[in-house]
Amino acid sequence: MEIAVAAPSPTVLIVDDDTDLREGLGELLEEDGYGVATATDGMDALHKLRQGLRPSVILLDLMMPRMNGWEFRQAQLSSDELKDIPVVVITAAGLGEAAIRTQFGDVGFLPKPTSEQALRDAIRRRCPAAGGEQSGS
């Protein structure tokens, strides 16, 4: 008898201080088959990453207490272990995609509020779709 072993689902780390938004985004991504981890701010996210969490992509808010998105991204890029984890910035800061890319490098960008489809597309561009599908980047 052969036992089928499912490949682990890609994981998205949602970093946002808004509890309702974290939960809503998490539920949407779980429905799509992604694993979800959450952090309340950049400091919480760095702690989880330094403890071994390796998400396929980080969904990063900019305006948060303790450690904001800019500070988190700077710390992420300075770490050889963390710098290659893809990031999608999601913000209501009023900045455009060009400004975000200038400040953050090669990241995805979503303004808040964003549509479910835009969120799904941004995540799929940065990591394999759940269920083993590959997106054409």
Side-chain angles (χ1 to χ4, degrees), residues 11-15 35 37-39 45 48-49 53 55 57-60 72:
T11 299
V12 178
L13 173 58
I14 302 170
V15 186
T38 62
K48 290 177 179 184
L49 292 167
L53 176 66
V57 65
I58 298 168
L59 189 59
L60 179 66
F72 169 83

Side-chain angles (χ1 to χ4, degrees), residues 62 70 94-105 107 109:
L62 294 183
W70 287 276
L95 300 170
E97 185 170 0
I100 294 294
R101 286 180 178 268
T102 297
Q103 295 176 37
F104 287 85
V107 296
F109 170 74

Side-chain angles (χ1 to χ4, degrees), residues 5-106:
V5 177
S9 297
T11 299
V12 178
L13 173 58
I14 302 170
V15 186
D16 200 303
D17 59 320
D18 183 321
T19 302
D20 292 337
L21 186 62
R22 270 194 326 271
E23 290 174 359
L25 293 173
E27 288 173 11
L28 177 69
L29 293 168
E30 286 174 345
E31 287 173 11
D32 286 353
Y34 292 97
V36 172
T38 62
T40 57
D41 59 37
M43 194 175 293
D44 186 25
L46 275 179
H47 175 74
K48 290 177 179 184
L49 292 167
R50 289 177 176 150
Q51 295 298 312
L53 176 66
R54 289 299 177 267
S56 301
V57 65
I58 298 168
L59 189 59
L60 179 66
D61 183 28
L62 294 183
M63 298 182 293
M64 298 176 287
R66 293 197 315 159
M67 178 183 274
N68 65 36
W70 287 276
E71 294 163 331
F72 169 83
R73 182 69 171 152
Q74 186 176 23
Q76 181 200 10
L77 290 174
S78 69
S79 168
D80 287 339
E81 295 176 351
L82 306 177
K83 68 182 179 184
D84 293 328
I85 301 172
V87 171
V88 175
V89 171
I90 182 168
T91 184
L95 300 170
E97 185 170 0
I100 294 294
R101 286 180 178 268
T102 297
Q103 295 176 37
F104 287 85
D106 183 23

